[in-house]
Structure formats: C-alpha cells, structure tokens
Amino acid sequence: MTTGPRPHHGRDREGSGACEQTGKFDPARHFLSIADWPPDRLRSALDMAARFRLDPYWAGRPLEGRSVALVFAKSSTRTRVSFEVGIAQLGGHSVFLASRDIQLGRGEPVADTARVLSRYVQAIMIRTFSQEDVEQLARYGSIPVINGLTDFLHPCQVLADLATVEGEFPSRDLASLRVAWIGDGNNMANSWLNAAARLGFSLGLACPAGYEPDRAILDRAMASDAEVSMVRDPREVVEGADVITTDVWASMGQEEEAADRNAAFQGYTVDEELMARAAAGAIFLHCLPAHRGEEVSCGVLEGPWSRVWDQAENRLHAQKAIMTLLLG
Ligand code: CP
Ligand code: NVA
C-alpha cells in the first residue's frame, strides 16, 4: 500500500523556496475536472471511448513519438495500468514517476516540476492529494495535464463510468437516466455532480450528515438543468434509479478516520434489499477497490446488477479518448 505520510502540498512547497508567482491557464487544454469541458467535448470523448471499446486501434497512433509522465503520490492499480497500456496502444511512451522517488517528494515546488517535465514529455497525468497541485502543474507547465484523482475529484473515473452507462443503455439518452450515489460525498461524488451538471442526467445523492459533497459543486449542479437532489436516506434515491453507485467510506489519505467513518456510514451499504428498489434493469457501479460488507455487499458486487469489471475496462477506453482529444 501506498501512501505513508502525506507529502508536501503546493502551498508548503511554494513557501519553502519558490518565488511567489501567479499564472493563468486555459482549463480546456487540460482534463482537470469534468466541469472544465463543454458538453460537446464530453460527448466526443464518450463517442471516441465507445469506438476504442470496439477497436483499440481505430485512431491510429496519435501519440507516436510522444511521451507522457505518470506521476503518482497515491497507490493505483487501474489508473496506472490503463494509462500505461492506453499510451502504448496510441503509439506513445509512458514514464512512471512515484512522487516519493522524484524531487517533488523532497519538496521541489510543483511549479518547477511542471516546467522541467514540460521540457521532456508532451503530457502529464497526476494522481495526488491536492487539486491545487494539479492546477499548479497546468499553470506552470506548457503541456496538457490530466487529473488521475485528487482528494477533490476523479474525472477520468466518472468519464469511464458514463461510458459504461451508455454501453448498458444504448437505446436511452444519457439525460433520461437516473443515477443514485450512496455514501461518502467524496472525490467521486463531486465528479458525478459535475457530470450531471454538464450532461443533464438526474442524480440523487444519499450521504450521512457531515459527509456531503463539496458545497459549491453541489450548488452549481442544483442550479443546472439537471435534476439533482441530496437526502440522507439511501432508499429515497435508489427508488426507480437506473444506476446505483457507491465508493469506499474512507478514501486514500483518510485511513485514520476509518473507525469514525465506519460508524457514520452504518445503513449506507448497497445490498440486495436496496437494489431491489431500483428500476428494472438497473446496474451497480463501483470505481474499485471495493470493501465487501462495508459500502457494498458481496452479493451486489458479484451479482447480476454489477458492471464493475466493464467499468474498470472502460478506464482504458475513456482515457485513450481524453489523450487523443488533448494530444491527437
Ligand atoms: N478506480 C481507480 O482509480 O482505481 P485505482 O486506484 O486502482 O487506480
Ligand atoms: N474515493 C476513493 C477512490 C479510489 C479510486 C479514493 O480517493 O481513495
């Protein structure tokens, strides 16, 4: 396992050596958040992901002669492997960098790392703690940055989840579907909210008090054309939902809160009884890794509703679409 002590974050590092600087960046050149891409670009990404699922090589070799740095400050199975394999399938080369092994882990500023990596590689994928660090990379680098998970967002995963949903409901418009999020208002929940706001599907969240999603993201989603609600009782949002999804109760970096969280999330397990309330033909999604018997019962994860292995596969297709759009 990963993480050990939390590494420095951008602000600390800036304070510990780099000169204060400000810079602007164009969010559309990167993939830091689903909220940064207009609906038509997200639509293109989903269409391209569906094509990659049918034919891994339909786009040719858009990354031929290009290198992508994969920076990880947290553990990963799916993100690491799907990016490495996806880059290879697109004709490119990946450079895996565990942040504790590079100078970043010893406090070299993100801003300096961004400018140095920009001289060697053509894009950076980063998984780290602070969203601000990811924005710093985009601000100071001159190449596209892809967010491979922060404490705040997990946009690549939710794009893959949307690709999974579209694969499962080919005759339904995405905007006609009802999604239920059960459990922690975490990075995944925030990205689902951004997706609902952008693409207009209905999203109901059931989260215990004190574990709601980011207030600004929730408000923005509620003000959008999408039907978005937040309640306490999971049964309310599952009623008639087409997609039921959840995530671990303690995310990476929250290991010390696990006991408190375990207590707070009692009653939020997605089990067979809860799934029975969903719409006919409903599916279950989980970004994985899953804790059987906590946020999901073994029977649901392994049962007929579950599409979690397709969902994991779709990481590969969705990320190839993102990289082709940003670099192709
Ligand atoms: N779902 C997901 O991001 O998995 P990893 O942590 O294994 O990358
Ligand atoms: N919310 C989880 C997702 C893991 C892919 C975490 O941040 O650890």
Side-chain angles (χ1 to χ4, degrees):
M1 250 295 285
T2 130
T3 46
R6 281 185 132 190
H8 302 282
H9 287 172
R11 285 224 168 100
D12 299 343
R13 267 195 295 269
E14 292 298 303
S16 70
C19 308
E20 201 58 43
Q21 293 185 41
T22 52
K24 287 207 165 81
F25 67 95
D26 174 6
R29 283 197 61 220
H30 307 277
F31 188 61
L32 307 190
S33 167
I34 284 180
D36 291 340
W37 278 20
D40 61 341
R41 198 134 189 250
L42 294 168
R43 182 68 266 146
S44 299
L46 290 169
D47 291 344
M48 289 167 77
R51 285 188 73 183
F52 278 122
R53 193 186 309 126
L54 294 174
D55 175 4
Y57 299 101
W58 72 265
R61 296 171 64 82
L63 298 194
E64 181 83 56
R66 313 223 197 156
S67 298
V68 180
L70 305 178
V71 181
F72 283 89
K74 293 177 173 177
S75 296
S76 171
T77 299
R78 282 143 287 266
T79 304
R80 178 176 176 179
V81 177
S82 56
F83 266 104
E84 286 197 13
V85 170
I87 290 161
Q89 289 181 354
L90 295 173
H93 170 73
S94 56
V95 183
F96 174 77
L97 300 167
S99 64
R100 65 170 170 268
D101 295 340
I102 59 175
Q103 299 291 6
L104 187 67
R106 295 181 57 246
E108 183 168 20
V110 177
D112 295 5
T113 305
R115 287 172 287 190
V116 171
L117 289 180
S118 296
R119 302 296 177 108
Y120 301 135
V121 299
Q122 284 68 50
I124 303 170
M125 191 291 310
I126 180 164
R127 163 169 289 196
T128 191
F129 293 85
S130 140
Q131 182 76 13
E132 193 180 305
D133 278 2
V134 180
E135 288 170 8
Q136 284 277 87
L137 269 186
R139 186 168 289 119
Y140 287 96
S142 52
I143 54 177
V145 175
I146 299 170
N147 180 355
L149 179 146
T150 62
D151 293 347
F152 191 53
L153 298 172
H154 197 0
C156 291
Q157 179 69 57
V158 171
L159 194 71
D161 297 0
L162 295 171
T164 311
V165 170
E166 290 204 322
E168 284 298 322
F169 297 96
S171 60
R172 297 272 301 274
D173 189 58
L174 198 54
S176 76
L177 291 164
R178 292 184 57 191
V179 178
W181 174 269
I182 313 296
D184 193 17
N186 63 9
N187 44 10
M188 283 293 298
N190 288 335
S191 286
W192 269 107
L193 280 164
N194 283 335
R198 275 285 184 246
L199 298 170
F201 55 86
S202 153
L203 177 64
L205 301 98
C207 309
Y211 296 95
E212 296 89 354
D214 179 76
R215 189 74 238 178
I217 290 182
L218 182 64
D219 287 346
R220 193 171 55 208
M222 283 180 161
S224 74
D225 291 339
E227 186 190 320
V228 173
S229 61
M230 222 221 39
V231 299
R232 300 280 175 236
D233 186 348
R235 289 170 299 188
E236 257 184 69
V237 288
V238 165
E239 204 71 54
D242 303 295
V243 179
I244 317 304
T245 183
T246 187
D247 189 12
V248 290
W249 291 341
S251 285
M252 291 183 277
Q254 297 172 333
E255 288 79 5
E256 285 167 15
E257 300 171 28
D260 289 346
R261 287 174 164 269
N262 203 53
F265 285 97
Q266 289 309 307
Y268 284 82
T269 303
V270 179
D271 57 16
E272 290 85 331
E273 202 184 316
L274 198 61
M275 287 303 299
R277 295 173 176 269
I283 62 168
F284 172 76
L285 299 180
H286 190 309
C287 64
L288 304 176
H291 292 181
R292 290 165 174 81
E294 293 184 17
E295 75 276 3
V296 59
S297 71
C298 189
V300 170
L301 191 76
E302 303 286 358
W305 304 279
S306 178
R307 298 294 182 276
V308 299
W309 316 119
D310 292 336
Q311 186 185 0
E313 178 189 320
N314 280 322
R315 292 293 303 276
L316 174 64
H317 310 312
Q319 290 157 191
K320 284 170 72 181
I322 294 165
M323 290 188 283
T324 303
L325 281 166
L326 290 175
L327 291 165

